[in-house]
Amino acid sequence: MKTDTERPGEFELIARYFAPIAGAGGLGLLDDAGLIRPARGYEIVVTADALVAGVHFFPDDPPASIARKALAVNLSDLAAKGAKPDGFVLSLVLPRGWTEDWLGGFAQGLKHIADEGGCPLIGGDTVSTPGPLTLSITAFGSVPAGRMVVRSGAKPGDILLVSGSIGDGALGLKVHGPDRPDWVAALTEADRAHLADRYLHPRPRLALAAALQAHASSAMDVSDGLIGDLAKLLSASRIGAEVDLDAVPLSGPARAAIMADPALLELAWTGGDDYEILCTAPGRDYPSLVAAGEAAGVPLAVIGRITADAGTVRYLQQGQPREFARRSFTHF
Amino acid sequence: MKTDTERPGEFELIARYFAPIAGAGGLGLLDDAGLIRPARGYEIVVTADALVAGVHFFPDDPPASIARKALAVNLSDLAAKGAKPDGFVLSLVLPRGWTEDWLGGFAQGLKHIADEGGCPLIGGDTVSTPGPLTLSITAFGSVPAGRMVVRSGAKPGDILLVSGSIGDGALGLKVHGPDRPDWVAALTEADRAHLADRYLHPRPRLALAAALQAHASSAMDVSDGLIGDLAKLLSASRIGAEVDLDAVPLSGPARAAIMADPALLELAWTGGDDYEILCTAPGRDYPSLVAAGEAAGVPLAVIGRITADAGTVRYLQQGQPREFARRSFTHF
């Protein structure tokens, strides 16, 4: 069921575009497999994310941006688990009509983020599809044995924190997408550029990984919206929370968008594509965590505290209780 | 760009269908990541394969068969590298219109092969696509440090061997596919069933892994056709080979098909989907390798020997030189 064409074969394609991104464990990408060589006393954290054109990104997004995002969302998971990246494998499922130009841009973006994250390519597979471009990345990172930061470690009394700013990704999707809503016109060019960039180029918070490992009782990355992802963390830890929505950090451009259309505040809290870190820390630990975030240039904001009330989240907005009907995007 | 529907959410879907396949390292599939805990002195072999409906399998193949094949082709790579399976992650890219029935069958087949191969699920991602069903699996196995069986270790004078039988998968594709050629009618029902089963349900040669690690100088699995895959092994090892085509092992059903249409002999040698092991061993080691294969119920046949003539393969058929124009399927 496979067909030949005149374009470069898989072998040539690997040598030209992917070998320059490979680390030692990739064995030149000439073998059936790559190698991870764990340091003694360390465990390997494994995470996987798949992205589909038209679902997770726009088919005509710049190929370098698509590649960066595909690896960044995996690095974001490693960061949340307190892991130091070791490498990744890429399954590249190419639609008919791919060009070498496109692939060159893709490889360039992939190399950029792989270098930035210290996460070389160690293997993968390239196949063709009659459907849309699909990328599946599995990334590996190291933690000292028993020290992965899990979702399920939050305890009543712990402080709830979130990194960076929330909502930029979901707002950026509106700015970047083909059907721009009216409020986009009210933003400055710089604000539009900031939001679109946050959507296109998530910044994995690897700078927080060591501090999370040292101080956090639980953590996850925020990819499907703060409100929905918080529910997952609480469910895994079998606890509840009180959340001060006014304390959820918003960027200047996000505030400007919300000024133009106040309904966007809910989108900021529930929309996806933040790739920030949601975490908890015991009262005695959280100041060290906040200090480490400041030192790393990634601020952590206190947005609430954990309660023993399993499954119950009390959201307060300007002192009043607030409910959410739709908590986050689901994939089905 | 994501949409909600009334079907079970990702969370529920994981609990119902995938948690039963998860190993300890999967952490109940409730976290952002899974864990591999390497034994001291061991390295982790990593391999990835992507499969697309309509390219690597038929969209209406039984879902259990699709799942089995997707993991089996990865286990086949681990076996060729001499690795003992540790676990795998699955990126499941579901087309619109998937049903719970389909997913139930898929999960059942996946559990079957995961149990058989001692390779539990430790994580993954499930997303939707407007295109065809796409599966990407990354599998992990352990080898003592420095002992992965590489492609590049073959030396002049080594013996060239292949496991099981060659060509059944490529012939089975013809038997199983929608456009049955005339020769299929000449086969018995049992022969047709054997060939179709070899195509649908590759048997990863994990029983050979320990022996390969102990005795082989190089190895790879045969997935894209014996002739083409041999060229890859020779290229990686920078050596040549003399191959006795008459020694390439064929099953009874494959011989029956070739009797009906002699042109199928070339298809057997060059077609894909064998998932047998192609390997080399020094003269002093190969008898132990053959003995271990016999003990494991997977025969290894000597099909040639390695020469110093880098890049040159001399194929002999009934004592006469034989050339191949098209060496194997390529994916582009």
Side-chain angles (χ1 to χ4, degrees), chain A residues 17-77:
Chain A
Y17 297 108
F18 294 110
I21 311 169
L27 309 172
L29 305 180
L30 291 172
D31 215 297
D32 311 77
L35 269 178
I36 305 173
R37 300 184 176 97
R40 187 184 290 189
Y42 278 72
E43 293 176 337
I44 306 297
V45 175
V46 183
T47 182
D49 271 299
L51 290 84
V52 179
V55 181
H56 302 91
F57 57 88
F58 293 96
D60 56 356
D61 281 345
S65 298
I66 294 169
R68 281 180 61 177
K69 183 165 192 169
L71 183 53
V73 303
N74 280 283
L75 294 176
S76 177
D77 282 317

Side-chain angles (χ1 to χ4, degrees), chain A residues 31 34 36 44 50 81 151, chain B residues 31 36 44 46 50 81 125 151:
Chain A
D31 215 297
I36 305 173
I44 306 297
K81 304 292 100 182
R151 278 192 192 175
Chain B
D31 214 297
I36 305 173
I44 307 297
V46 182
K81 304 292 102 183
D125 194 16
R151 278 192 193 175

